[in-house]
Amino acid sequence: MSTQEQVRPTDGERPGRQAVVNPATGETVAWVDALGPDDVAVAAARARAAQPAWEALGFDGRARVMRRAQRWVVDHRDELVRTIVSETGKAWEDAMIAEVTYGAAAFGHWASAAPKLLADERVKVASPLLVGKKVVVRHAPVGVVGVIAPWNYPFTNGFGDAIPALMAGNAVLLKPAAKTPLTSLLMLRALRECGLPDDVLQVVTGSGSRLGDPIVDAVDMVMFTGSTEVGRGIARRCADRLIPCSLELGGKDALIVLADADLERAASTALFYAMFNGGQTCISVERAYVEASVYDAFVAKVAERAATLRTNDPTGPGATDVGALTVPEQLDVVRDHVDDARGKGARIVVGGDEDEGRPGWWYPPTVIADADHGMRCMTEETFGPTLPIMRVADADEAVRLANDSPYGLMASVFTKDVARGEEIARRIQAGTVHVNDALVGYAALEAPMGGWKDSGLGARHGREGIVKYTATQTVVVARLALRREPQHYPYDGLVHKLLGGLVRAVYGRGGRG
Ligand code: NAP
Ligand code: MG
């Protein structure tokens, strides 16, 4: 079946279709195709056939499509939010802040940044063997990029990665999470309205365990966002094929509050970015370390704010502060982490009690005080609306504990002494570190965002975020071509003397190359 034919999900159950459920209500909102390995092969072949013409459009031609798509996102923002909310159960504002805003920015950013970041670069070279020759570095599209995406941000994490891949001249095979395919299907329709040629982008819907291997086997590069466990498997399979992959994986982001911090700002920021999107953000604040002298005051400020948070159905703007959990498995993890902490002596100062009868998947915003590293909530990714807080003696202990993690995605330090904050930031093992802020570094499309340690490989955004979708080619041109270079055969003794003299002249004083 053509992957282009499923753009409008039908609302009836049929064999070979999977349900999309609204996690806030438990109601089925659509049925989409559950594709199989053969469909992936067909989609990949079509993508491969469509790619050369797309590449031939050049940056300007591709950017025109992207700029139209940017306007589409702005004009259809409510439709986009409604679709995202219907399959994730998140608050409307979560979708507006982290997905619509991101999408509108990303189409424009890559349209204008791609030609600069991927422009041919004339390189100055020092070797005497290259005197008079032109050396140019160029970036060719890899061909077909496979994007495999998680369910927490159906637009930003997933479709968002297709944008730079397309701008680099590639065709894309996009596999959204099985639970959240509707946003990708909507955006595929949007891009085609905006002039994207047939088959350049293919959305393959279905389960990762069935489609993952066939996708990796059919593409030239994989961009994966999801769990560390699945990411490792993808890296192994890519290694067998000797194709590159870029991995954005799990996180356990630490937030450090020093004694001289603005406690109002620290508490507000910690709570917001712990609960934002129901805590289902790879870069959410997952744990806080607070210097002893301000610990009680910080906990009190966080608790006071947390107690006011509403968890209503996300029926429209302003309806709720915190939305639902998007997948039921997540509810088990969050519950286990809170129960484990409670059992080991932590204080649940807000939340922790579930509304048993409620349809959909909900967990209340929960603040855990007196946590420590013997508890799972401080060492394993929770990915839910929880904020565990631990008392520390000083900044050194906070840094040591922040780094005592297999993950290294983002982190935060709060202090009024910003110079000291920056110094501490540089000691934290994470791809992005904030001083007096959290999470928003993600919006810096101009700067790389990627994980250290088990949080990933490679980066999205910045130069790295588009160069990775290309194969680098160095072109060497001998313009004023002599009939014979001095070093060519025969070796009559002159070569030795000539090169010896050149080596002495060029490198003899230890200055060059
Ligand atoms: P996941 O279970 O790893 O799934 C991610 C994607 O991989 C889904 O599309 C999934 O398909 C697919 N998949 C599953 N098994 C596969 C296999 N064997 N081969 C290939 N693909 C396979 O992750 P998730 O639960 O959706 O997302 C949550 C995780 O993502 C968290 O750990 C979070 O921290 C991480 N994340 C990281 C970032 C970042 O930028 N670093 C951003 C967002 C999320 P199905 O949906 O069909 O299972
Ligand atoms: Mg969280």
Side-chain angles (χ1 to χ4, degrees):
M1 158 167 340
S2 163
T3 56
Q4 307 284 348
E5 283 162 14
Q6 31 149 30
V7 172
R8 286 168 202 281
T10 62
D11 44 15
E13 181 173 3
R14 277 201 273 120
R17 298 219 136 199
Q18 67 189 34
V20 181
V21 174
N22 180 341
T25 61
E27 286 162 7
T28 296
V29 292
W31 290 85
V32 300
D33 292 337
L35 300 179
D38 293 347
D39 300 304
V40 171
V42 170
R46 287 191 179 166
R48 206 166 281 292
Q51 186 272 332
W54 174 242
E55 179 182 357
L57 273 185
F59 287 119
D60 287 349
R62 298 195 293 272
R64 263 195 294 280
V65 176
M66 298 301 153
R67 289 193 198 288
R68 276 186 225 125
Q70 183 179 39
R71 278 194 295 279
W72 190 97
V73 167
V74 174
D75 293 344
H76 296 78
R77 56 191 182 277
D78 284 350
E79 181 184 357
L80 187 51
V81 166
R82 205 172 287 116
T83 302
I84 293 170
V85 170
S86 77
E87 60 182 350
T88 59
K90 66 177 69 181
W92 276 52
E93 286 76 2
D94 289 345
M96 186 56 87
I97 293 168
E99 307 220 71
V100 172
T101 306
Y102 182 89
F107 279 120
H109 170 74
W110 293 114
S112 57
K116 294 175 211 142
L117 297 172
L118 300 181
D120 285 4
E121 190 193 347
R122 176 85 183 268
V123 198
K124 275 184 79 174
V125 290
S127 169
L129 296 174
L130 289 163
V131 170
K133 288 165 202 176
K134 182 171 93 165
V135 177
V136 175
V137 177
R138 69 173 281 249
H139 302 283
V142 291
V144 179
V145 172
V147 176
I148 301 178
W151 43 258
N152 58 345
Y153 290 98
F155 187 104
T156 298
N157 287 324
F159 194 88
D161 290 310
I163 300 170
L166 289 169
M167 263 317 293
N170 297 288
V172 171
L173 226 54
L174 169 62
K175 195 207 96 60
K179 299 265 170 43
T180 57
L182 301 182
T183 304
S184 293
L185 292 172
L186 174 67
M187 286 311 303
L188 171 62
R189 178 156 60 84
L191 270 188
R192 288 169 55 71
E193 264 176 38
C194 295
L196 187 78
D198 286 356
D199 297 334
V200 169
L201 173 67
Q202 313 249 349
V203 176
V204 287
T205 50
S207 100
S209 50
R210 276 192 86 204
L211 304 184
D213 288 354
I215 291 173
V216 175
D217 291 349
V219 300
D220 303 300
M221 185 271 176
V222 179
M223 171 68 226
F224 172 79
T225 306
S227 62
T228 296
E229 189 192 349
V230 174
R232 269 189 222 285
I234 285 179
R236 265 187 227 111
R237 201 164 181 102
C238 287
D240 274 343
R241 292 204 55 226
L242 281 179
I243 60 166
C245 61
S246 182
L247 308 172
E248 297 290 345
L249 309 176
K252 190 71 191 169
D253 294 2
L255 179 140
I256 296 173
V257 182
L258 300 183
D260 71 341
D262 176 339
L263 283 195
E264 290 292 334
R265 181 172 174 83
S268 179
T269 309
L271 183 73
F272 183 66
Y273 290 121
M275 304 304 167
F276 183 72
N277 212 54
Q280 302 161 110
T281 308
C282 53
I283 49 176
S284 73
V285 172
E286 282 260 329
R287 51 194 172 125
Y289 301 96
V290 185
E291 264 196 278
S293 61
V294 293
Y295 177 83
D296 290 332
F298 179 81
V299 171
K301 283 185 195 297
V302 167
E304 187 190 330
R305 285 177 171 76
T308 68
L309 295 179
R310 299 164 304 151
T311 51
N312 303 319
D313 286 359
T315 48
T320 187
D321 297 305
V322 179
L325 294 179
T326 298
V327 298
E329 297 84 352
Q330 216 36 57
L331 192 52
D332 298 332
V333 176
V334 179
R335 185 186 298 130
D336 286 354
H337 284 197
V338 175
D339 291 349
D340 172 73
R342 199 189 329 243
K344 288 172 178 164
R347 278 187 296 135
I348 311 300
V349 282
V350 176
D353 291 318
E354 289 175 64
D355 179 355
E356 300 289 347
R358 186 171 186 178
W361 303 295
W362 292 88
Y363 198 87
T366 298
V367 178
I368 305 169
D370 303 346
D372 64 44
H373 275 219
M375 300 169 188
R376 296 174 66 194
C377 65
M378 291 299 280
T379 57
E380 297 173 25
E381 187 178 47
T382 307
F383 224 60
T386 59
L387 178 58
I389 311 173
M390 176 172 177
R391 183 195 309 262
V392 292
D394 53 25
D396 285 346
E397 187 186 11
V399 169
R400 182 176 62 72
L401 289 168
N403 289 339
D404 178 22
S405 170
Y407 296 115
L409 207 43
M410 286 197 178
S412 301
V413 184
F414 280 77
T415 168
K416 288 203 182 107
D417 181 348
V418 289
R420 181 164 179 245
E422 256 191 74
E423 181 263 319
I424 290 169
R426 285 161 197 265
R427 291 165 55 200
I428 297 176
Q429 297 157 357
T432 303
V433 190
H434 302 82
V435 177
N436 296 326
D437 217 325
L439 200 137
V440 290
Y442 196 91
L445 299 178
E446 299 78 2
M449 177 272 162
W452 289 14
K453 302 195 276 187
D454 288 359
S455 288
L457 203 60
R460 55 160 66 96
H461 305 161
R463 200 180 124 71
E464 290 90 330
I466 189 160
V467 169
K468 69 183 180 183
Y469 296 121
T470 67
T472 302
Q473 185 176 56
T474 299
V475 181
V476 181
V477 183
R479 288 168 306 175
L480 296 168
L482 303 172
R483 291 177 66 191
R484 185 175 86 89
E485 298 262 338
Q487 72 273 22
H488 290 182
Y489 295 130
Y491 283 169
D492 54 10
L494 197 66
V495 169
H496 182 82
K497 218 171 139 193
L498 198 78
L499 278 180
L502 264 174
V503 165
R504 192 153 42 84
V506 177
Y507 306 115
R509 289 178 224 285
R512 289 201 52 191

